[in-house]
Amino acid sequence: EIVLTQSPGTLSLSPGERATLSCRASQAVGSSYLAWYQQKPGQAPRLLVYGAFSRATGIPDRFSGSGSGTDFTLTISRLEPEDFAVYYCQQYGSSPRTFGQGTKVEI
Amino acid sequence: QVHLQESGPGLVKPSETLSLTCTVSSGSINDYYWSWIRQPPGKGLEWIGYIYYSGKSDYNPSLKSRVTISMDTSKNQFSLMLSSVTAADTAVYYCTTVRYYYDNNGHGVLGPFDYWGQGTLAIVSS
């Protein structure tokens, strides 16, 4: 099973700032089959990025994904008020599919 | 745009079986792979398993001995059964689609979870 470790646990930033979230895998994620999700309180997660860097439909271009192998990054170029949430990475390169423990982006 | 709605009892007794149903609208159940994911209160996400109308399925080994995911194509629904539940199974349960896409090498990939239901809280308690 691939274990995903996200850092930091909490990121305290202000609107307009840049957010950099890390996701490290215990072994290489095949073909960069890694996704990122955003979850707000009381809501289901929303898919942001898949294939490490492809944005899902309707996702603003301030969200960008990068990385390969065992190290992946989600960058939010300029935080908007609606971006304060919890972010999860998830790998689908091998079974079982696993999630990271989440990074909370707070004001 | 696929719409998903979970339903089922909110309270289940320990050792009994949790049964949940996901109703699919604005889409055919034959067009996607379908998955269940859960989230204990205040915690992270755990993948339970997925199914395709052909019968192909896969489960998380941590739950495999207790889980059955099935489909009813006539009702456009799929279901989750989790047996011998304990308090550790208390969670919000989400049904989702699984995106199938072709990567840069032209390989078909069973990818991320793209459409999600709103989730339903199942509490295990006597």
Side-chain angles (χ1 to χ4, degrees):
Chain A
E1 170 174 326
I2 295 179
V3 176
L4 300 177
T5 303
Q6 294 185 239
S7 61
T10 302
L11 200 51
S12 298
L13 295 168
S14 300
E17 290 192 298
R18 181 185 187 91
T20 303
L21 288 67
S22 174
C23 177
R24 177 162 289 178
S26 60
Q27 55 189 282
V29 176
S31 302
S32 297
Y33 291 154
L34 187 112
W36 290 92
Y37 302 84
Q38 176 194 67
Q39 186 177 34
K40 297 179 181 179
Q43 296 184 18
R46 176 176 71 146
L47 176 66
L48 299 175
V49 169
Y50 65 98
F53 58 83
S54 297
R55 275 187 299 276
T57 303
I59 302 303
D61 60 9
R62 64 180 181 274
F63 291 93
S64 62
S66 62
S68 63
T70 60
D71 290 298
F72 298 87
T73 301
L74 176 71
T75 301
I76 311 171
S77 58
R78 293 174 308 280
L79 282 165
E80 298 287 341
E82 63 267 27
D83 299 336
F84 291 91
V86 178
Y87 293 83
Y88 294 95
C89 58
Q90 179 249 325
Q91 67 82 22
Y92 50 93
S94 65
S95 186
R97 293 148 181 265
T98 50
F99 291 86
Q101 83 279 17
T103 290
K104 182 178 182 180
V105 178
E106 65 176 21
I107 298 177
Chain B
Q1 180 87 17
V2 178
H3 183 72
L4 306 172
Q5 179 67 58
E6 303 90 347
S7 60
L11 184 64
V12 184
K13 289 182 168 54
S15 79
E16 295 188 346
T17 295
L18 169 66
S19 295
L20 298 175
T21 297
C22 183
T23 301
V24 178
S25 55
S26 302
S28 170
I29 200 163
N30 292 338
D31 289 343
Y32 293 89
Y33 283 75
W34 306 96
S35 187
W36 288 96
I37 291 167
R38 70 180 183 178
Q39 184 173 37
K43 297 188 178 180
L45 299 160
E46 181 180 32
W47 172 67
I48 298 171
Y50 73 70
I51 192 169
Y52 191 50
Y53 81 96
S54 65
K56 180 177 179 180
S57 63
D58 190 19
Y59 298 118
N60 193 322
S62 68
L63 297 168
K64 188 173 184 177
S65 63
R66 300 193 290 130
V67 170
T68 302
I69 298 176
S70 59
M71 297 176 65
D72 186 338
T73 55
S74 66
K75 295 181 179 179
N76 239 31
Q77 294 178 333
F78 64 105
S79 299
L80 169 71
M81 294 182 65
L82 180 65
S83 64
S84 304
V85 296
T86 68
D89 295 309
T90 294
V92 174
Y93 287 77
Y94 296 101
C95 58
T96 83
T97 58
V98 187
R99 173 175 293 200
Y100 190 88
Y101 70 98
Y102 293 91
D103 66 13
N104 291 338
N105 296 317
H107 297 140
V109 180
L110 191 57
F113 308 108
D114 48 2
Y115 295 110
W116 296 63
Q118 66 184 25
T120 187
L121 175 62
I123 298 173
V124 178
S125 175
S126 55

